[in-house]
Amino acid sequence: MTTVARPLFRDPLHDGATDPTVIWNRQAGEWWMFYTSRRADAPPMDDVSWIHGTDIGIASSADGGAGWLYRGIAEGLDIEPGRHTYWAPEIVDDGTEYHMFVSVIRGVPTQWAGHARVIRHYTSHDLFSWTYRSTLSLSSERVIDACVLRLPTGGYRMWYKDEADDAHTYAADSDDLARWTVRGPAVECSKHEGPNVFELGGSYWMLIDEWHGQRVLHSRDLETWEPRGLILDRPGQGPDDGGYGYHADVVTSELGAFIFYFSHPRRSDDDPGPHNDHNGRRSSIQVARLRVSGDTLVCDRDEALDAPILPLEGPDR
């Protein structure tokens, strides 16, 4: 048995890995993690420029998720000259090619507000090099954090954060991952971001990041969502796992359900910033097991995990 690393991963260039998503690379026969590569090492300026100007980082695991190797950044995302901002990738494998839906901000803003945020669609055959397909027309020009699920009846549904509507989650549907029809608000129980939807134990679950843990929501039809408490709302005791668990992705397989999230291990939980030093900015990727318990999900982030936590031969299709 190989023990899963704790923390699971730190970005060796900028030390700001956040917003992870994990997918099987068919060509390489490995699991790949994509993430927002925040610039925790940027100069200590009294603004939020370090949150912007970010690439999408890549790490790979050939041992079932025990250890992760930094592989560089996703290439081909720029469609105009200059330095731009890429956040919160979501990647879907349709069996022929990969589809990335990524949040994009033009340039490197120094403030949170006053600029558009859009979701762009890219495709790739190798998960390294990406080709721009479109900028999605959704419910506003302040949308981020796409999550996409194949529907049991066919087609796909996307959930995303609409910052123009009080930071609620909206939904949109597509038959082909290219053309999307907005359905409207899906979750309005709180301000939040980072929706992630998955099936486990015969039900559908959504996690949303309320910035004080992950809110659990339950659904049987992907239409109506009922809040069922919080997870990752208390600090972990393991290395680099202090504070809340932020913006998560869940992978389910015959090995169980595992939640990949990030922590700010050296930051006070409710510190609004600005964060001008490296310890206040840096972040680590962590992983924990999810289980269904009664009518909700439970997660012991201090449980020691043995690999593999991800199937060595990839997911069942």
Side-chain angles (χ1 to χ4, degrees), residues 5-294:
R6 302 184 71 177
L8 188 69
F9 179 75
R10 288 176 66 178
D11 183 298
L13 294 190
H14 302 295
D15 208 12
T18 63
D19 313 331
T21 189
V22 177
I23 189 167
W24 175 250
N25 184 321
R26 289 181 275 106
Q27 289 79 4
E30 300 172 332
W31 289 91
W32 281 26
M33 180 193 301
F34 290 74
Y35 59 91
T36 307
S37 181
R38 286 187 185 172
R39 299 181 303 115
D41 61 342
M45 301 175 68
D46 190 21
D47 58 33
V48 295
S49 56
W50 69 277
I51 294 287
H52 300 104
T54 48
D55 293 309
I56 299 302
I58 304 170
S60 65
S61 177
D63 57 8
W68 295 81
L69 175 67
Y70 178 75
R71 301 292 295 274
I73 62 172
E75 300 174 350
L77 302 187
D78 288 339
I79 61 172
E80 62 176 321
R83 183 70 175 171
H84 304 286
T85 300
Y86 301 94
W87 285 350
E90 168 72 325
I91 300 178
V92 179
D93 180 5
D94 70 3
T96 301
E97 62 182 352
Y98 304 99
H99 299 255
M100 180 190 291
F101 299 91
V102 63
S103 309
V104 183
I105 296 171
R106 190 180 195 184
V108 185
T110 59
Q111 305 296 324
W112 281 116
H115 44 271
R117 302 157 170 81
V118 298
I119 294 174
R120 286 190 194 156
H121 177 205
Y122 297 81
T123 58
S124 174
H125 289 284
D126 62 7
L127 287 176
F128 259 131
S129 300
W130 294 87
T131 300
Y132 171 74
R133 297 303 182 190
S134 69
T135 299
L136 275 54
S137 178
L138 296 171
S139 48
S140 80
E141 288 192 348
R142 291 178 56 198
V143 295
I144 62 172
D145 296 355
C147 165
V148 178
L149 185 74
R150 190 190 302 268
L151 296 172
T153 55
Y156 301 84
R157 181 160 299 164
M158 174 186 293
W159 292 267
Y160 60 91
K161 175 188 179 183
D162 190 336
E163 295 184 340
D165 185 18
D166 212 27
H168 291 155
T169 287
Y170 272 57
D173 284 354
S174 175
D175 292 329
D176 57 6
L177 293 170
R179 295 173 291 275
W180 293 87
T181 300
V182 175
R183 297 173 52 87
V187 177
E188 299 177 284
C189 63
S190 64
K191 292 185 177 182
H192 58 266
E193 63 186 15
N196 188 256
V197 179
F198 55 96
E199 186 176 4
L200 183 63
S203 294
Y204 293 102
W205 304 91
M206 181 189 295
L207 298 177
I208 54 175
D209 186 351
E210 292 186 344
W211 309 291
H212 58 98
Q214 299 287 312
R215 177 70 58 188
V216 178
L217 300 110
H218 175 265
S219 178
R220 295 197 178 277
D221 58 7
L222 295 172
E223 303 287 345
T224 302
W225 295 94
E226 179 184 353
R228 295 280 178 86
L230 287 167
I231 60 171
L232 301 179
D233 55 324
R234 297 181 179 181
Q237 301 303 309
D240 257 19
D241 201 21
Y244 301 127
Y246 296 97
H247 196 127
D249 183 40
V250 175
V251 178
T252 62
S253 73
E254 67 272 17
L255 299 177
F258 293 90
I259 180 170
F260 296 79
Y261 62 95
F262 78 91
S263 63
H264 283 297
R266 295 293 183 267
R267 180 190 298 183
S268 172
D269 276 339
D270 299 306
D271 179 3
H275 304 289
N276 295 329
D277 63 32
H278 181 257
N279 276 333
R281 293 173 174 179
R282 76 174 186 86
S283 51
S284 296
I285 305 295
Q286 303 279 0
V287 65
R289 188 190 307 272
L290 279 182
R291 294 183 174 92
V292 177
S293 177

